[in-house]
Amino acid sequence: MDYKEKLTALAENACTGSRILAKLSTNIKNRALLEMASGLEKETKAIVAENDKDVKNAGEKGLSKALIDRLLLNTSRIKAMADGLREIAVLPDPVGEVTRMWKRPNNLQIGKMRVPIGVIGIIYEARPNVTADAAGLCLKSGNAVILRGGSESINSNLIIAKILQEGAGRAGVPETCIQMVDITDRAAVRDLLKLDKYIDVIIPRGGHELIRMVVENSTIPVIKHDKGVCHVYVEEDADMDMAVSIAYNAKVQRPGVCNAIETLLVHEKAAGKFLPLIAAKYKEAGVEMRGCPETLKILSGIKEATEDDWYTEYLDLIISIKVIKNIDEAIDH
């Protein structure tokens, strides 16, 4: 069986399961989510063992410390995954909610009701916790999901998906509603993106190159995001201690996640005081700083930022710094 045949069979099964899932009660779906959460916690040792394989492979391939951190699972992170599923379980069920009713001039009454989409394909990179997040959200909203994680996290993703399938099954949800693509060859992604007969929407989560590849190759509607180039802006009258604490935490705590900051914008009247303070903290943490010409006048020994730096999602201990005149210039940037 080639990639296309295998993926088609997987998508057919997801499609069949989605029709059953769409009609299940809120109680069954919530019970499934709780079973999935318990399963993750019970199988923590097994998950960590599989994750160790991925982390070891990532180290051998020379991936950065930040990317390996995104990949790493431990007891606390697995518990957070389980807790996330429990949080989804207590959310209101969107299925069947009537959001609007109106009457036409001919007395025809029309209503707008939320219904499941069907089968959702999610393509993502690195972070294996996305497997649980995505599966949980799709199940709660009555949608089957086909998951294709990055090759670097294949062992972690496969065991997590198996545990989630079994948990859902114990509650009466078809296990085929949660599918994990076990093919690491990138050619399989392009085959997956052509299965518009079975998959209703594709959601890519990852870097710019992944998003572009999905958009260019998919015959399925795509819901996409753009780069995660997050910014912190320090105003002229900012509390310096608070500003340093925020700018440090936002870069250093977990630099490999998509909500870590990549660019620091500083008001010109705050720059002289603030930049030496944050630079000292960043230096201790091993952060590489790249600055605009005004920043270089204040901080010595750092790299000059290029135009590309202002558009780059580093996902690493690197930050670009720009001194600006006011908040309007910050917004324009």
Side-chain angles (χ1 to χ4, degrees):
M1 184 183 292
D2 63 17
Y3 292 166
K4 191 169 184 179
E5 289 176 343
K6 187 173 184 179
L7 290 168
T8 299
L10 183 148
E12 285 178 340
N13 289 334
C15 190
T16 300
S18 72
R19 298 187 187 116
I20 299 171
L21 175 58
K23 296 181 287 185
L24 293 181
S25 69
T26 302
N27 286 338
I28 291 176
K29 291 188 291 184
N30 287 344
R31 197 157 64 242
L33 289 163
L34 297 178
E35 287 284 350
M36 290 155 63
S38 296
L40 290 175
E41 290 182 331
K42 289 176 183 176
E43 298 296 334
T44 293
K45 287 185 179 179
I47 295 171
V48 169
E50 292 301 303
N51 181 249
D52 284 345
K53 297 177 185 177
D54 291 329
V55 171
K56 182 181 178 182
N57 290 337
E60 291 173 352
K61 291 177 181 177
L63 295 186
S64 70
K65 289 182 180 180
L67 289 177
I68 292 175
D69 177 68
R70 292 179 75 189
L71 183 60
L72 179 67
L73 291 177
N74 52 32
T75 300
S76 62
R77 290 186 181 181
I78 293 169
K79 183 180 185 304
M81 289 164 57
D83 288 343
L85 292 172
R86 295 187 179 105
E87 290 172 6
I88 295 170
V90 300
L91 292 174
D93 191 340
V95 178
E97 179 187 356
V98 177
T99 60
R100 188 182 170 200
M101 294 289 294
W102 69 97
K103 188 176 287 187
R104 300 291 296 152
N106 63 355
N107 289 322
L108 177 65
Q109 190 167 7
I110 300 175
K112 187 176 182 181
M113 179 186 287
R114 295 183 184 218
V115 298
I117 293 170
V119 179
I120 298 174
I122 301 182
I123 302 170
Y124 53 103
E125 299 172 322
R127 297 172 65 188
N129 62 298
V130 173
T131 303
D133 294 344
L137 289 167
C138 287
L139 191 150
K140 183 63 180 259
S141 57
N143 296 292
V145 64
I146 298 174
L147 301 160
R148 202 286 185 178
S151 59
E152 67 281 352
S153 56
I154 185 65
N155 295 295
S156 306
N157 287 334
L158 286 174
I159 190 169
I160 292 169
K162 183 175 182 292
I163 292 166
L164 298 177
Q165 288 172 332
E166 293 172 349
R170 287 194 295 272
V173 174
E175 292 189 12
T176 55
C177 289
I178 301 172
Q179 301 271 11
M180 172 61 68
V181 176
D182 61 1
I183 305 167
T184 57
D185 191 326
R186 290 191 176 185
V189 175
R190 288 180 169 83
D191 287 335
L192 186 70
L193 295 173
K194 306 300 182 186
L195 297 176
D196 50 274
K197 181 178 179 181
Y198 307 104
I199 302 174
D200 297 284
V201 67
I202 290 286
I203 304 175
R205 284 191 57 174
H208 178 67
E209 291 303 315
L210 172 67
I211 305 299
R212 188 176 68 177
M213 186 277 292
V214 169
V215 171
E216 290 177 352
N217 289 277
S218 182
T219 59
I220 305 165
V222 177
I223 299 174
K224 71 183 183 76
H225 62 81
D226 205 344
K227 295 180 183 178
V229 185
C230 302
H231 293 60
V232 163
Y233 169 55
V234 180
E235 182 57 280
E236 62 175 307
D237 58 354
D239 180 310
M240 289 294 112
D241 289 339
M242 181 183 289
V244 169
S245 178
I246 289 171
Y248 179 81
N249 176 271
K251 177 75 263 183
V252 175
Q253 185 199 36
R254 288 194 70 189
V257 295
C258 57
N259 59 339
I261 65 165
E262 311 293 9
T263 299
L264 183 60
L265 302 176
V266 185
H267 194 288
E268 60 184 4
K269 292 183 180 178
K273 184 176 182 181
F274 172 77
L275 287 178
L277 295 174
I278 191 61
K281 294 280 287 181
Y282 279 160
K283 189 173 181 181
E284 287 177 9
V287 177
E288 178 186 315
M289 291 168 275
R290 303 177 183 180
C292 69
E294 292 302 313
T295 302
L296 296 177
K297 293 177 183 178
I298 300 170
L299 302 178
S300 60
I302 71 169
K303 291 185 177 181
E304 182 174 0
T306 67
E307 185 64 19
D308 287 343
D309 281 310
W310 310 123
Y311 301 92
T312 299
E313 184 179 15
Y314 300 113
L315 299 174
D316 203 348
L317 288 173
I318 305 171
I319 193 163
S320 54
I321 305 172
K322 188 172 187 178
V323 176
I324 45 86
K325 293 179 180 178
N326 51 47
I327 192 169
D328 290 328
E329 187 178 329
I331 291 168
D332 287 342
H333 172 85

